mmCIF file of all heavy atoms in Angstrom:
data_model
loop_
_atom_site.group_PDB
_atom_site.id
_atom_site.type_symbol
_atom_site.label_atom_id
_atom_site.label_comp_id
_atom_site.label_asym_id
_atom_site.label_seq_id
_atom_site.Cartn_x
_atom_site.Cartn_y
_atom_site.Cartn_z
ATOM 1 N N PHE U 55 -7.780 -1.683 -12.118
ATOM 2 C CA PHE U 55 -6.347 -1.958 -12.232
ATOM 3 C C PHE U 55 -5.600 -1.417 -11.018
ATOM 4 O O PHE U 55 -4.749 -2.103 -10.432
ATOM 5 C CB PHE U 55 -5.793 -1.329 -13.502
ATOM 6 C CG PHE U 55 -4.291 -1.443 -13.622
ATOM 7 C CD1 PHE U 55 -3.707 -2.582 -14.143
ATOM 8 C CD2 PHE U 55 -3.475 -0.410 -13.200
ATOM 9 C CE1 PHE U 55 -2.331 -2.689 -14.240
ATOM 10 C CE2 PHE U 55 -2.099 -0.502 -13.296
ATOM 11 C CZ PHE U 55 -1.521 -1.641 -13.820
ATOM 12 N N LEU U 58 -6.387 -3.590 -8.003
ATOM 13 C CA LEU U 58 -5.677 -4.870 -8.073
ATOM 14 C C LEU U 58 -4.205 -4.691 -7.729
ATOM 15 O O LEU U 58 -3.610 -5.519 -7.033
ATOM 16 C CB LEU U 58 -5.814 -5.479 -9.468
ATOM 17 C CG LEU U 58 -7.193 -6.038 -9.828
ATOM 18 C CD1 LEU U 58 -7.240 -6.409 -11.305
ATOM 19 C CD2 LEU U 58 -7.523 -7.261 -8.977
ATOM 20 N N ASN U 59 -3.609 -3.607 -8.206
ATOM 21 C CA ASN U 59 -2.216 -3.341 -7.896
ATOM 22 C C ASN U 59 -2.021 -3.112 -6.399
ATOM 23 O O ASN U 59 -1.021 -3.548 -5.817
ATOM 24 C CB ASN U 59 -1.726 -2.129 -8.674
ATOM 25 C CG ASN U 59 -0.281 -1.798 -8.357
ATOM 26 O OD1 ASN U 59 0.612 -2.599 -8.609
ATOM 27 N ND2 ASN U 59 -0.045 -0.631 -7.801
ATOM 28 N N LEU U 61 -3.851 -4.368 -3.972
ATOM 29 C CA LEU U 61 -4.076 -5.623 -3.239
ATOM 30 C C LEU U 61 -3.034 -6.686 -3.565
ATOM 31 O O LEU U 61 -2.903 -7.665 -2.829
ATOM 32 C CB LEU U 61 -5.469 -6.169 -3.555
ATOM 33 C CG LEU U 61 -6.644 -5.472 -2.864
ATOM 34 C CD1 LEU U 61 -7.964 -5.941 -3.461
ATOM 35 C CD2 LEU U 61 -6.625 -5.715 -1.367
ATOM 36 N N SER U 62 -2.335 -6.535 -4.683
ATOM 37 C CA SER U 62 -1.339 -7.532 -5.091
ATOM 38 C C SER U 62 0.003 -7.181 -4.463
ATOM 39 O O SER U 62 0.560 -6.112 -4.742
ATOM 40 C CB SER U 62 -1.203 -7.563 -6.612
ATOM 41 O OG SER U 62 -2.425 -7.863 -7.224
ATOM 42 N N GLY U 63 0.515 -8.050 -3.638
ATOM 43 C CA GLY U 63 1.775 -7.758 -2.970
ATOM 44 C C GLY U 63 2.564 -9.011 -2.658
ATOM 45 O O GLY U 63 2.287 -10.101 -3.178
ATOM 46 N N VAL U 64 3.567 -8.861 -1.792
ATOM 47 C CA VAL U 64 4.453 -9.969 -1.466
ATOM 48 C C VAL U 64 3.745 -11.037 -0.640
ATOM 49 O O VAL U 64 4.298 -12.119 -0.422
ATOM 50 C CB VAL U 64 5.696 -9.471 -0.705
ATOM 51 C CG1 VAL U 64 6.522 -8.560 -1.583
ATOM 52 C CG2 VAL U 64 5.302 -8.758 0.574
ATOM 53 N N ILE U 66 1.574 -12.895 -1.586
ATOM 54 C CA ILE U 66 1.341 -14.064 -2.437
ATOM 55 C C ILE U 66 2.451 -15.092 -2.277
ATOM 56 O O ILE U 66 2.242 -16.286 -2.533
ATOM 57 C CB ILE U 66 1.212 -13.630 -3.917
ATOM 58 C CG1 ILE U 66 0.530 -14.730 -4.729
ATOM 59 C CG2 ILE U 66 2.580 -13.266 -4.511
ATOM 60 C CD1 ILE U 66 0.107 -14.302 -6.105
ATOM 61 N N LEU U 67 3.633 -14.667 -1.837
ATOM 62 C CA LEU U 67 4.750 -15.602 -1.646
ATOM 63 C C LEU U 67 4.607 -16.421 -0.381
ATOM 64 O O LEU U 67 5.165 -17.524 -0.276
ATOM 65 C CB LEU U 67 6.071 -14.821 -1.595
ATOM 66 C CG LEU U 67 6.420 -13.958 -2.802
ATOM 67 C CD1 LEU U 67 7.709 -13.196 -2.540
ATOM 68 C CD2 LEU U 67 6.548 -14.813 -4.060
ATOM 69 N N ALA U 197 3.630 -0.456 -10.328
ATOM 70 C CA ALA U 197 2.298 -0.793 -10.821
ATOM 71 C C ALA U 197 2.284 -2.146 -11.494
ATOM 72 O O ALA U 197 1.228 -2.682 -11.815
ATOM 73 C CB ALA U 197 1.815 0.280 -11.793
ATOM 74 N N SER U 198 3.470 -2.696 -11.726
ATOM 75 C CA SER U 198 3.555 -4.029 -12.314
ATOM 76 C C SER U 198 3.215 -5.107 -11.300
ATOM 77 O O SER U 198 3.391 -6.290 -11.582
ATOM 78 C CB SER U 198 4.971 -4.266 -12.857
ATOM 79 O OG SER U 198 5.921 -4.201 -11.802
ATOM 80 N N GLY U 199 2.730 -4.700 -10.121
ATOM 81 C CA GLY U 199 2.392 -5.685 -9.094
ATOM 82 C C GLY U 199 1.401 -6.714 -9.577
ATOM 83 O O GLY U 199 1.516 -7.912 -9.273
ATOM 84 N N VAL U 200 0.412 -6.285 -10.352
ATOM 85 C CA VAL U 200 -0.573 -7.222 -10.898
ATOM 86 C C VAL U 200 0.106 -8.197 -11.845
ATOM 87 O O VAL U 200 -0.082 -9.415 -11.758
ATOM 88 C CB VAL U 200 -1.689 -6.462 -11.644
ATOM 89 C CG1 VAL U 200 -2.710 -7.433 -12.207
ATOM 90 C CG2 VAL U 200 -2.368 -5.472 -10.711
ATOM 91 N N LEU U 201 0.910 -7.649 -12.760
ATOM 92 C CA LEU U 201 1.608 -8.493 -13.722
ATOM 93 C C LEU U 201 2.601 -9.412 -13.023
ATOM 94 O O LEU U 201 2.731 -10.590 -13.369
ATOM 95 C CB LEU U 201 2.337 -7.616 -14.744
ATOM 96 C CG LEU U 201 3.160 -8.336 -15.819
ATOM 97 C CD1 LEU U 201 2.262 -9.230 -16.667
ATOM 98 C CD2 LEU U 201 3.891 -7.322 -16.697
ATOM 99 N N ALA U 202 3.307 -8.869 -12.009
ATOM 100 C CA ALA U 202 4.290 -9.668 -11.282
ATOM 101 C C ALA U 202 3.627 -10.854 -10.598
ATOM 102 O O ALA U 202 4.156 -11.983 -10.632
ATOM 103 C CB ALA U 202 5.011 -8.798 -10.257
ATOM 104 N N SER U 203 2.477 -10.628 -9.983
ATOM 105 C CA SER U 203 1.768 -11.721 -9.311
ATOM 106 C C SER U 203 1.360 -12.794 -10.315
ATOM 107 O O SER U 203 1.487 -13.996 -10.046
ATOM 108 C CB SER U 203 0.529 -11.181 -8.589
ATOM 109 O OG SER U 203 0.896 -10.279 -7.573
ATOM 110 N N ALA U 204 0.874 -12.361 -11.488
ATOM 111 C CA ALA U 204 0.473 -13.314 -12.520
ATOM 112 C C ALA U 204 1.670 -14.124 -13.018
ATOM 113 O O ALA U 204 1.580 -15.345 -13.216
ATOM 114 C CB ALA U 204 -0.191 -12.583 -13.682
ATOM 115 N N ILE U 205 2.809 -13.438 -13.214
ATOM 116 C CA ILE U 205 4.022 -14.127 -13.677
ATOM 117 C C ILE U 205 4.489 -15.146 -12.649
ATOM 118 O O ILE U 205 4.871 -16.282 -12.991
ATOM 119 C CB ILE U 205 5.134 -13.103 -13.973
ATOM 120 C CG1 ILE U 205 4.763 -12.260 -15.194
ATOM 121 C CG2 ILE U 205 6.469 -13.804 -14.196
ATOM 122 C CD1 ILE U 205 5.750 -11.148 -15.482
ATOM 123 N N ILE U 206 4.467 -14.761 -11.382
ATOM 124 C CA ILE U 206 4.919 -15.668 -10.318
ATOM 125 C C ILE U 206 4.028 -16.906 -10.254
ATOM 126 O O ILE U 206 4.523 -18.042 -10.175
ATOM 127 C CB ILE U 206 4.939 -14.934 -8.967
ATOM 128 C CG1 ILE U 206 6.042 -13.878 -8.957
ATOM 129 C CG2 ILE U 206 5.148 -15.916 -7.821
ATOM 130 C CD1 ILE U 206 6.013 -12.968 -7.753
ATOM 131 N N ILE U 207 2.711 -16.711 -10.306
ATOM 132 C CA ILE U 207 1.788 -17.851 -10.255
ATOM 133 C C ILE U 207 2.014 -18.777 -11.443
ATOM 134 O O ILE U 207 2.129 -20.001 -11.286
ATOM 135 C CB ILE U 207 0.325 -17.361 -10.229
ATOM 136 C CG1 ILE U 207 0.021 -16.654 -8.911
ATOM 137 C CG2 ILE U 207 -0.631 -18.550 -10.396
ATOM 138 C CD1 ILE U 207 -1.372 -16.044 -8.855
ATOM 139 N N CYS U 208 2.107 -18.210 -12.643
ATOM 140 C CA CYS U 208 2.295 -19.020 -13.847
ATOM 141 C C CYS U 208 3.634 -19.757 -13.819
ATOM 142 O O CYS U 208 3.714 -20.930 -14.196
ATOM 143 C CB CYS U 208 2.193 -18.149 -15.096
ATOM 144 S SG CYS U 208 0.554 -17.483 -15.422
ATOM 145 N N SER U 209 4.684 -19.074 -13.362
ATOM 146 C CA SER U 209 6.008 -19.697 -13.308
ATOM 147 C C SER U 209 6.038 -20.856 -12.321
ATOM 148 O O SER U 209 6.624 -21.919 -12.602
ATOM 149 C CB SER U 209 7.067 -18.656 -12.919
ATOM 150 O OG SER U 209 7.143 -17.624 -13.873
ATOM 151 N N ILE U 210 5.402 -20.663 -11.175
ATOM 152 C CA ILE U 210 5.382 -21.732 -10.167
ATOM 153 C C ILE U 210 4.515 -22.897 -10.639
ATOM 154 O O ILE U 210 4.865 -24.071 -10.430
ATOM 155 C CB ILE U 210 4.891 -21.164 -8.828
ATOM 156 C CG1 ILE U 210 5.978 -20.242 -8.240
ATOM 157 C CG2 ILE U 210 4.545 -22.274 -7.843
ATOM 158 C CD1 ILE U 210 5.595 -19.547 -6.976
ATOM 159 N N LEU U 211 3.399 -22.614 -11.289
ATOM 160 C CA LEU U 211 2.580 -23.684 -11.862
ATOM 161 C C LEU U 211 3.362 -24.459 -12.907
ATOM 162 O O LEU U 211 3.270 -25.696 -12.991
ATOM 163 C CB LEU U 211 1.302 -23.106 -12.478
ATOM 164 C CG LEU U 211 0.228 -22.638 -11.514
ATOM 165 C CD1 LEU U 211 -0.955 -22.050 -12.282
ATOM 166 C CD2 LEU U 211 -0.245 -23.780 -10.632
ATOM 167 N N TRP U 212 4.127 -23.757 -13.735
ATOM 168 C CA TRP U 212 4.954 -24.421 -14.747
ATOM 169 C C TRP U 212 6.007 -25.307 -14.081
ATOM 170 O O TRP U 212 6.257 -26.434 -14.520
ATOM 171 C CB TRP U 212 5.619 -23.363 -15.628
ATOM 172 C CG TRP U 212 6.434 -23.956 -16.741
ATOM 173 C CD1 TRP U 212 7.729 -24.430 -16.671
ATOM 174 C CD2 TRP U 212 6.019 -24.171 -18.094
ATOM 175 N NE1 TRP U 212 8.134 -24.907 -17.883
ATOM 176 C CE2 TRP U 212 7.106 -24.760 -18.789
ATOM 177 C CE3 TRP U 212 4.835 -23.911 -18.785
ATOM 178 C CZ2 TRP U 212 7.037 -25.101 -20.146
ATOM 179 C CZ3 TRP U 212 4.770 -24.239 -20.129
ATOM 180 C CH2 TRP U 212 5.856 -24.828 -20.797
ATOM 181 N N THR U 213 6.623 -24.795 -13.015
ATOM 182 C CA THR U 213 7.619 -25.580 -12.281
ATOM 183 C C THR U 213 7.013 -26.862 -11.735
ATOM 184 O O THR U 213 7.618 -27.941 -11.816
ATOM 185 C CB THR U 213 8.205 -24.749 -11.123
ATOM 186 O OG1 THR U 213 8.800 -23.554 -11.638
ATOM 187 C CG2 THR U 213 9.245 -25.549 -10.352
ATOM 188 N N ILE U 273 -10.827 -11.379 -7.776
ATOM 189 C CA ILE U 273 -9.646 -11.755 -8.556
ATOM 190 C C ILE U 273 -8.450 -12.027 -7.646
ATOM 191 O O ILE U 273 -7.759 -13.048 -7.790
ATOM 192 C CB ILE U 273 -9.299 -10.647 -9.573
ATOM 193 C CG1 ILE U 273 -10.379 -10.555 -10.649
ATOM 194 C CG2 ILE U 273 -7.948 -10.923 -10.224
ATOM 195 C CD1 ILE U 273 -10.183 -9.417 -11.630
ATOM 196 N N CYS U 274 -8.204 -11.138 -6.692
ATOM 197 C CA CYS U 274 -7.052 -11.320 -5.803
ATOM 198 C C CYS U 274 -7.223 -12.526 -4.891
ATOM 199 O O CYS U 274 -6.260 -13.258 -4.635
ATOM 200 C CB CYS U 274 -6.835 -10.058 -4.972
ATOM 201 S SG CYS U 274 -6.128 -8.686 -5.901
ATOM 202 N N ILE U 276 -8.920 -15.252 -5.560
ATOM 203 C CA ILE U 276 -8.677 -16.436 -6.397
ATOM 204 C C ILE U 276 -7.175 -16.634 -6.608
ATOM 205 O O ILE U 276 -6.658 -17.758 -6.535
ATOM 206 C CB ILE U 276 -9.397 -16.299 -7.757
ATOM 207 C CG1 ILE U 276 -10.912 -16.379 -7.560
ATOM 208 C CG2 ILE U 276 -8.933 -17.384 -8.728
ATOM 209 C CD1 ILE U 276 -11.703 -16.118 -8.816
ATOM 210 N N GLY U 277 -6.457 -15.530 -6.866
ATOM 211 C CA GLY U 277 -5.015 -15.629 -7.058
ATOM 212 C C GLY U 277 -4.293 -16.117 -5.821
ATOM 213 O O GLY U 277 -3.448 -17.028 -5.891
ATOM 214 N N TYR U 278 -4.621 -15.535 -4.663
ATOM 215 C CA TYR U 278 -3.987 -15.963 -3.406
ATOM 216 C C TYR U 278 -4.319 -17.416 -3.084
ATOM 217 O O TYR U 278 -3.441 -18.195 -2.685
ATOM 218 C CB TYR U 278 -4.451 -15.062 -2.260
ATOM 219 C CG TYR U 278 -3.795 -13.707 -2.229
ATOM 220 C CD1 TYR U 278 -4.556 -12.540 -2.133
ATOM 221 C CD2 TYR U 278 -2.410 -13.572 -2.274
ATOM 222 C CE1 TYR U 278 -3.969 -11.282 -2.096
ATOM 223 C CE2 TYR U 278 -1.812 -12.325 -2.240
ATOM 224 C CZ TYR U 278 -2.595 -11.182 -2.153
ATOM 225 O OH TYR U 278 -2.006 -9.943 -2.121
ATOM 226 N N SER U 280 -5.230 -19.811 -5.128
ATOM 227 C CA SER U 280 -4.589 -20.704 -6.099
ATOM 228 C C SER U 280 -3.128 -20.926 -5.744
ATOM 229 O O SER U 280 -2.637 -22.059 -5.752
ATOM 230 C CB SER U 280 -4.709 -20.121 -7.511
ATOM 231 O OG SER U 280 -6.050 -19.983 -7.893
ATOM 232 N N MET U 281 -2.430 -19.835 -5.421
ATOM 233 C CA MET U 281 -1.027 -19.963 -5.044
ATOM 234 C C MET U 281 -0.881 -20.797 -3.775
ATOM 235 O O MET U 281 0.027 -21.652 -3.681
ATOM 236 C CB MET U 281 -0.423 -18.573 -4.814
ATOM 237 C CG MET U 281 1.007 -18.600 -4.293
ATOM 238 S SD MET U 281 2.156 -19.336 -5.456
ATOM 239 C CE MET U 281 2.528 -17.914 -6.461
ATOM 240 N N PHE U 284 -1.749 -24.671 -4.764
ATOM 241 C CA PHE U 284 -0.743 -25.301 -5.635
ATOM 242 C C PHE U 284 0.613 -25.373 -4.944
ATOM 243 O O PHE U 284 1.329 -26.378 -5.076
ATOM 244 C CB PHE U 284 -0.631 -24.532 -6.951
ATOM 245 C CG PHE U 284 -1.806 -24.706 -7.855
ATOM 246 C CD1 PHE U 284 -2.515 -23.608 -8.315
ATOM 247 C CD2 PHE U 284 -2.242 -25.967 -8.243
ATOM 248 C CE1 PHE U 284 -3.619 -23.761 -9.135
ATOM 249 C CE2 PHE U 284 -3.339 -26.142 -9.065
ATOM 250 C CZ PHE U 284 -4.030 -25.031 -9.519
ATOM 251 N N SER U 307 11.913 -21.480 -15.408
ATOM 252 C CA SER U 307 10.663 -20.998 -14.824
ATOM 253 C C SER U 307 10.868 -20.528 -13.389
ATOM 254 O O SER U 307 10.283 -19.522 -12.960
ATOM 255 C CB SER U 307 9.595 -22.102 -14.865
ATOM 256 O OG SER U 307 10.031 -23.254 -14.152
ATOM 257 N N ILE U 310 12.622 -17.139 -13.426
ATOM 258 C CA ILE U 310 11.694 -16.066 -13.787
ATOM 259 C C ILE U 310 10.897 -15.632 -12.560
ATOM 260 O O ILE U 310 10.725 -14.435 -12.288
ATOM 261 C CB ILE U 310 10.748 -16.520 -14.916
ATOM 262 C CG1 ILE U 310 11.530 -16.691 -16.217
ATOM 263 C CG2 ILE U 310 9.612 -15.516 -15.102
ATOM 264 C CD1 ILE U 310 10.701 -17.255 -17.355
ATOM 265 N N ALA U 311 10.406 -16.618 -11.804
ATOM 266 C CA ALA U 311 9.631 -16.306 -10.594
ATOM 267 C C ALA U 311 10.484 -15.572 -9.572
ATOM 268 O O ALA U 311 10.036 -14.587 -8.950
ATOM 269 C CB ALA U 311 9.074 -17.593 -9.997
ATOM 270 N N THR U 314 11.424 -11.977 -10.786
ATOM 271 C CA THR U 314 10.246 -11.115 -10.690
ATOM 272 C C THR U 314 10.006 -10.713 -9.239
ATOM 273 O O THR U 314 9.648 -9.557 -8.946
ATOM 274 C CB THR U 314 9.002 -11.841 -11.233
ATOM 275 O OG1 THR U 314 9.238 -12.251 -12.583
ATOM 276 C CG2 THR U 314 7.781 -10.937 -11.193
ATOM 277 N N THR U 315 10.212 -11.662 -8.341
ATOM 278 C CA THR U 315 10.069 -11.380 -6.910
ATOM 279 C C THR U 315 11.086 -10.342 -6.439
ATOM 280 O O THR U 315 10.774 -9.496 -5.595
ATOM 281 C CB THR U 315 10.254 -12.678 -6.100
ATOM 282 O OG1 THR U 315 9.264 -13.628 -6.482
ATOM 283 C CG2 THR U 315 10.159 -12.413 -4.602
ATOM 284 N N ASN U 318 10.316 -6.258 -8.026
ATOM 285 C CA ASN U 318 9.189 -5.441 -7.569
ATOM 286 C C ASN U 318 9.440 -4.732 -6.234
ATOM 287 O O ASN U 318 9.182 -3.539 -6.105
ATOM 288 C CB ASN U 318 7.927 -6.294 -7.491
ATOM 289 C CG ASN U 318 6.690 -5.515 -7.863
ATOM 290 O OD1 ASN U 318 6.718 -4.665 -8.729
ATOM 291 N ND2 ASN U 318 5.587 -5.804 -7.201
#
Side-chain angles (χ1 to χ4, degrees):
F55 174 84
L58 288 171
N59 179 62
L61 284 170
S62 301
V64 296
I66 198 168
L67 302 176
S198 62
V200 180
L201 178 61
S203 297
I205 292 175
I206 291 172
I207 292 175
C208 292
S209 298
I210 289 176
L211 286 178
W212 183 278
T213 302
I273 292 175
C274 286
I276 291 174
Y278 283 129
S280 299
M281 175 64 85
F284 288 124
S307 59
I310 291 175
T314 303
T315 300
N318 215 36

